[in-house]
Amino acid sequence: MTFLVKARQVDSMNHQILLPIMLVGILSLSLLLSGQAMAGDREAQVARCQVIKNKIQHYTAMRRGGGSSSEMRGWQSRRNDYKQKYRDQNCTRVRTALK
């Protein structure tokens, strides 16, 4: 009988020790996975912003090449739309990663 009581006490003490260790492990794993997710999000944002920046540069080059008045207005309008998307997507945060 005393053996069962002592076994239960030891088992209870093991749970008290193991539970915090398991929680620390779970928290560490979740932080690691969230860090990887954030890195993936940043890479995706850089890719989106790179496309937008390329479009802005394209329409800037078209305007510099010249054209009729209506073409110039159209290119400027589209370039301004992409500039607004650039701001809306917070691309200024990742501009150092852009080419």
Side-chain angles (χ1 to χ4, degrees):
M1 181 81 168
T2 58
F3 175 72
L4 289 177
V5 171
K6 287 184 179 182
R8 286 185 185 156
Q9 288 175 347
V10 168
D11 190 41
S12 174
M13 287 176 20
N14 284 341
H15 280 20
Q16 290 174 351
I17 293 170
L18 289 178
L19 185 61
I21 292 171
M22 289 173 44
L23 287 175
V24 167
I26 291 170
L27 288 173
S28 299
L29 182 62
S30 66
L31 286 174
L32 177 67
L33 292 176
S34 69
Q36 289 175 347
M38 287 191 306
D41 290 344
R42 180 175 167 81
E43 290 172 6
Q45 184 180 15
V46 167
R48 283 192 309 269
C49 291
Q50 187 64 54
V51 169
I52 294 170
K53 182 179 176 188
N54 291 345
K55 291 289 189 174
I56 292 170
Q57 290 174 340
H58 168 73
Y59 287 114
T60 299
M62 295 288 283
R63 283 181 46 82
R64 287 185 180 154
S68 69
S69 174
S70 61
E71 286 176 326
M72 298 287 271
R73 278 195 308 272
W75 295 331
Q76 184 178 25
S77 175
R78 281 180 248 145
R79 184 184 67 179
N80 289 342
D81 291 342
Y82 281 109
K83 282 184 174 184
Q84 186 60 48
K85 280 185 185 180
Y86 190 87
R87 286 188 293 274
D88 292 343
Q89 297 278 333
N90 288 327
C91 291
T92 54
R93 291 183 175 206
V94 294
R95 67 179 164 224
T96 57
L98 300 177
K99 298 177 183 173

